[in-house]
Amino acid sequence: EECFVDSPNIQELLGKTVPVVEANIPDDVAKYLGIKTSVSTENVLEYLHSLSGKTGVDKKLLVRLYSYLDQYGDGYADDFKSEKLIYVPSSDSWRSVNEVVWDDASDLLDDLYGWLAPGYAKANLKGFFLDLGVSEKVSLSEYVDAWARLPEHESDEKYLERAISRIYPDRKSVV
């Protein structure tokens, strides 16, 4: 596990989630000992890898990590495409870019994807996730599949009403 020098910037980003050295040591000594003196894109990615798969992760911590990458990081998009580094608070699960969608269509598609807007909209992370390659909306083919499954729910009027109102308004511009 990585160890960092105790600094306001590191504490603000990582909180008390990583070991810190409270002694005032010169940067060259810290480097020699393998103690990190600042946070980098690589550190944040390594930390996300260590969190991936764990449940009950502090969403505020993840918002700080994703915000750091959004503002200061570079060269990290491929990691999010190949690894499950996106935490979905509503399902307490980790997913990759192709397993999540920004807009929430869980009322129609249940847990087919991880829905990000409910967990991250207030944190203004939409641009970050879209830049990673996350789809903003469910594809037309997913809605077509949902439409084809409607007869399975013919006895559930509330579901049908919700589904039709969800599918039709989102797709009327395509028709």
Side-chain angles (χ1 to χ4, degrees):
E1 190 170 350
E2 293 183 305
C3 184
F4 292 84
V5 295
D6 191 17
S7 76
N9 291 342
I10 291 171
Q11 281 193 10
E12 181 181 335
L13 179 63
L14 302 174
K16 298 198 180 294
T17 61
V18 295
V20 295
V21 175
E22 295 183 14
N24 190 10
I25 55 176
D27 286 352
D28 58 336
V29 174
K31 184 177 179 181
Y32 177 77
L33 295 173
I35 300 169
K36 309 291 183 202
T37 58
S38 63
V39 178
S40 67
T41 300
E42 183 180 315
N43 299 137
V44 172
L45 288 174
E46 287 173 10
Y47 193 50
L48 283 171
H49 279 281
S50 75
L51 293 173
S52 181
K54 294 182 179 176
T55 58
V57 178
D58 179 9
K59 188 184 96 173
K60 291 178 183 176
L61 169 64
L62 289 165
V63 166
R64 291 191 308 266
L65 295 174
Y66 295 148
S67 295
Y68 174 87
L69 289 174
D70 190 30
Q71 292 177 357
Y72 307 109
D74 61 351
Y76 55 82
D78 287 343
D79 288 86
F80 282 84
K81 290 175 183 164
S82 62
E83 303 289 332
K84 295 181 183 224
L85 298 178
I86 300 172
Y87 180 72
V88 182
S90 61
S91 61
D92 194 22
S93 64
W94 291 85
R95 304 210 182 185
S96 63
V97 165
N98 63 345
E99 299 173 316
V100 295
V101 173
W102 179 258
D103 283 343
D104 184 7
S106 61
D107 57 342
L108 181 61
L109 301 174
D110 299 318
D111 61 354
L112 181 63
Y113 292 100
W115 312 106
L116 298 179
Y120 297 110
K122 289 181 182 174
N124 291 324
L125 286 170
K126 181 178 181 177
F128 168 72
F129 288 115
L130 296 182
D131 288 347
L132 288 175
V134 168
S135 296
E136 184 173 7
K137 293 180 179 284
V138 174
S139 71
L140 178 59
S141 65
E142 294 291 347
Y143 278 111
V144 169
D145 290 344
W147 185 266
R149 290 191 307 271
L150 285 180
E152 298 169 16
H153 300 278
E154 67 183 313
S155 62
D156 186 350
E157 286 184 35
K158 287 185 179 183
Y159 177 85
L160 291 173
E161 189 176 304
R162 225 178 32 245
I164 291 170
S165 68
R166 177 80 182 177
I167 293 169
Y168 182 68
D170 280 2
R171 297 298 155 204
K172 65 181 172 186
S173 63
V174 177
V175 177

